[in-house]
Amino acid sequence: MSVLLISTYDMGRQPFGLASPAAWLSHAGLGVVCLDLAKERFSDAAVRQASTIGFFLPMHTATRLALPVIARVRRLNPNARIVAYGLYAPLNELLLRERGVHDVLGGEFEAELVQAALKGCATEDTTEVTPTPEPRVLPRLSFKVPLRSVLPPLSNYATLQDGAERRTVGYTEASRGCKHRCRHCPIVPVYDGRFRIVSSDVVVADARAQVDAGARHITFGDPDFFNGIRHARDVVERFGRVCPGVTYDVTIKIEHLLQHSDALPLLRDTGCAFVTSAVESLDDTVLAILEKGHTRADFERAIALCHDVRLPLSPTFVAFTPWTTVAGFLELLHEIDRLDLVDHVSPIQYAIRLLVPHGSRMLEVEGMRRVAGPFDPVSLTHPWRHPDPRVDQLHASMTRLVGVNISAPRREVFGRVWDEAHTFAARIAPMRVSPPMPRATVPYLNEPWYC
């Protein structure tokens, strides 16, 4: 009997959440099979042969897609031990256990997954359900180099588009969790302000293995790459030496870009193609509610700092919240245009709506509680309606617009969003400030979804 690990969706990248535990399971002497349903067909045979079946649930979309697969797996192999792990597993623990999941693991799941698999191999009696300790202790692990030979090749996954050049992309993590507690972030209910560092040896070895397998760009998927600034410096310095000519991207909070601006030239010189930052809003009131730790003025300073060192900054936004107004949405578009960020922003960002999963700190806010409904086991959220129905109508319009233009050039989509939003607001669309053609190429990953 073997252990089967299943991923349903991981933003177009080769799932780290399969490769990492696969290394742990293999080291424990267990046979391991991986199934990435975003790229591979479901395998009845693999399910029937498995004594333990683990579902990697790193995000909302992956969890929703996993629920019918869990039901299918249980029908095919009712004796298998079912494990759910990843950020969204503990957020949906009650629902998962109702669906027959035996073990629900959150952050730092590898060692506990091995123990669950050993239980699954030791007995056919899977009626025992392992309760999650309250509060769950977040372990400190000695991470292993992920095992990627059990996954589809990197060429099957998302690529980096850099002008006319397309590069194969790998993915690794130099740290997990986050020492910040932004209200809307799904990391917070699991890590609660804690983060864990992955050894530089492991990080660079994993990156190098992917380069040897054809990667010409690596995404470092840390929620905030500068949470541990000395560690971050060490990782990119070693990466630059071991993988010369290979580019990478990182995600960094605005406040950390300002605090550690002296490290930006190091990122550029070691191959950083762009930095993603979760800006979320340009409204200081909304930023305060989300507890983002930065202001609109801070964002503009970060843009200037990155521009000065020729390091592209790619902001992400939560464009629709209970505090969004039609005028505020137009202002967001005008500022993206004024700051010459049209080529830096993925079009899907114009339609991102605030998600409120179970356990979200957003429910601490009275304004959120007034508009949010009870937890919905279908959407896996607390659904909410905007106090102004026009804002929800605008969101629906933007969703339709960007959803059918996923592969279109960013400036073309922005032009359509610009015109549609002004028409919706019954305003004449003014002339745009940014030039009709980009001043410089801005690299981007061609997988547009972020939740």
Side-chain angles (χ1 to χ4, degrees):
M1 300 292 279
S2 64
V3 180
L4 174 62
L5 302 180
I6 297 177
S7 172
T8 55
Y9 175 68
D10 198 11
M11 297 195 293
R13 59 200 181 202
Q14 191 186 64
F16 183 89
L18 299 191
S20 178
W24 285 70
L25 292 162
S26 179
H27 187 264
L30 297 168
V32 58
V33 175
C34 291
L35 189 58
D36 182 1
L37 295 181
K39 300 297 177 182
E40 301 176 283
R41 291 183 179 275
F42 186 90
S43 170
D44 288 7
V47 170
R48 290 192 176 101
Q49 293 167 10
S51 56
T52 301
I53 301 173
F55 285 85
F56 177 46
L57 307 180
M59 64 194 70
H60 180 257
T61 300
T63 309
R64 292 190 67 182
L65 292 172
L67 291 177
V69 183
I70 291 173
R72 184 176 180 182
V73 161
R74 285 190 55 77
R75 288 194 300 270
L76 285 170
N77 188 347
N79 292 321
R81 189 173 192 92
I82 309 297
V83 183
Y85 64 96
L87 282 179
Y88 270 76
L91 296 186
N92 296 283
E93 179 167 1
L94 293 177
L95 178 64
L96 290 167
R97 292 196 184 281
E98 289 172 359
R99 303 296 179 94
V101 173
H102 300 90
D103 303 275
V104 177
L105 313 176
E108 316 311 286
F109 48 75
E110 283 87 348
E112 291 174 295
L113 181 55
V114 170
Q115 293 305 309
L118 290 172
K119 290 180 183 178
C121 291
T123 177
E124 293 185 357
D125 179 11
T126 58
T127 58
E128 173 195 358
V129 173
T130 303
T132 302
E134 293 292 347
R136 180 177 180 271
V137 175
L138 188 68
R140 293 183 180 274
L141 304 179
S142 179
F143 293 98
K144 305 182 190 303
V145 178
L147 177 64
R148 297 186 177 274
S149 60
V150 292
L151 290 166
L154 292 174
S155 57
N156 288 19
Y157 292 90
T159 59
L160 179 85
Q161 194 70 42
D162 189 359
E165 182 184 1
R166 181 172 290 184
R167 300 179 203 160
T168 300
V169 175
Y171 174 93
T172 193
E173 297 176 358
S175 66
R176 291 179 175 175
C178 185
K179 65 183 181 182
H180 299 274
R181 300 182 73 248
C182 303
R183 269 207 175 101
H184 64 303
C185 180
I187 296 170
V188 174
V190 178
Y191 282 88
D192 194 26
R194 296 166 293 180
F195 78 106
R196 297 288 186 259
I197 281 176
V198 182
S199 161
S200 296
D201 291 338
V202 171
V203 176
V204 175
D206 185 33
R208 179 54 193 265
Q210 293 177 83
V211 170
D212 291 344
R216 302 306 301 161
H217 179 91
I218 299 292
T219 290
F220 289 98
D222 311 40
D224 189 335
F225 194 69
F226 277 2
N227 262 324
I229 185 62
R230 287 181 294 179
H231 178 61
R233 286 178 178 272
D234 181 47
V235 167
V236 297
E237 287 172 350
R238 296 181 64 178
F239 176 85
R241 292 194 300 268
V242 173
C243 304
V246 179
T247 57
Y248 66 89
D249 68 273
V250 294
T251 298
I252 303 174
K253 283 176 65 68
I254 291 297
E255 66 178 285
H256 284 172
L257 291 172
L258 301 180
Q259 291 171 3
H260 307 297
S261 59
D262 60 317
L264 299 184
L266 174 63
L267 295 182
R268 177 202 60 207
D269 294 343
T270 52
C272 187
F274 64 93
V275 174
T276 299
S277 192
V279 177
E280 313 302 40
S281 176
L282 299 184
D283 184 323
D284 282 342
T285 299
V286 175
L287 290 171
I289 292 170
L290 299 181
E291 295 188 2
K292 281 301 299 177
H294 69 258
T295 64
R296 177 174 176 163
D298 292 334
F299 170 50
E300 295 198 28
R301 284 197 293 271
I303 293 172
L305 288 169
C306 289
H307 180 269
D308 288 346
V309 298
R310 302 185 306 281
L311 185 63
L313 177 63
S314 295
T316 63
F317 297 98
V318 180
F320 290 91
T321 74
W323 304 277
T324 299
T325 64
V326 173
F329 184 78
L330 289 180
E331 184 180 9
L332 172 65
L333 298 182
H334 282 239
E335 287 303 284
I336 289 172
D337 177 56
R338 180 181 71 83
L339 296 168
D340 197 16
L341 293 174
V342 172
D343 294 293
H344 297 243
V345 179
S346 172
I348 193 61
Q349 297 301 315
Y350 307 127
I352 294 293
R353 181 181 175 92
L354 180 66
L355 282 176
V356 186
H358 178 72
S360 173
R361 290 192 62 226
M362 289 306 306
L363 295 172
E364 299 171 355
V365 181
E366 183 179 352
M368 187 80 248
R369 293 196 301 271
R370 281 201 301 264
V371 300
F375 182 76
D376 176 20
V378 176
S379 67
L380 303 184
T381 65
H382 290 267
W384 58 272
R385 292 184 179 181
H386 198 282
D388 180 356
R390 295 190 311 144
V391 176
D392 285 340
Q393 293 166 12
L394 178 60
H395 171 254
S397 175
M398 292 298 103
T399 299
R400 288 192 296 269
L401 186 59
V402 301
V404 298
N405 292 285
I406 290 175
S407 61
R410 290 184 171 186
R411 284 186 175 252
E412 178 182 320
V413 178
F414 182 82
R416 295 175 184 174
V417 167
W418 178 272
D419 291 341
E420 178 73 18
H422 284 87
T423 299
F424 182 91
R427 296 187 187 182
I428 298 175
M431 292 292 292
R432 286 165 47 193
V433 176
S434 61
M437 296 296 292
R439 294 190 177 94
T441 297
V442 179
Y444 63 91
L445 298 173
N446 65 355
E447 167 58 54
W449 303 98
Y450 294 94
C451 57

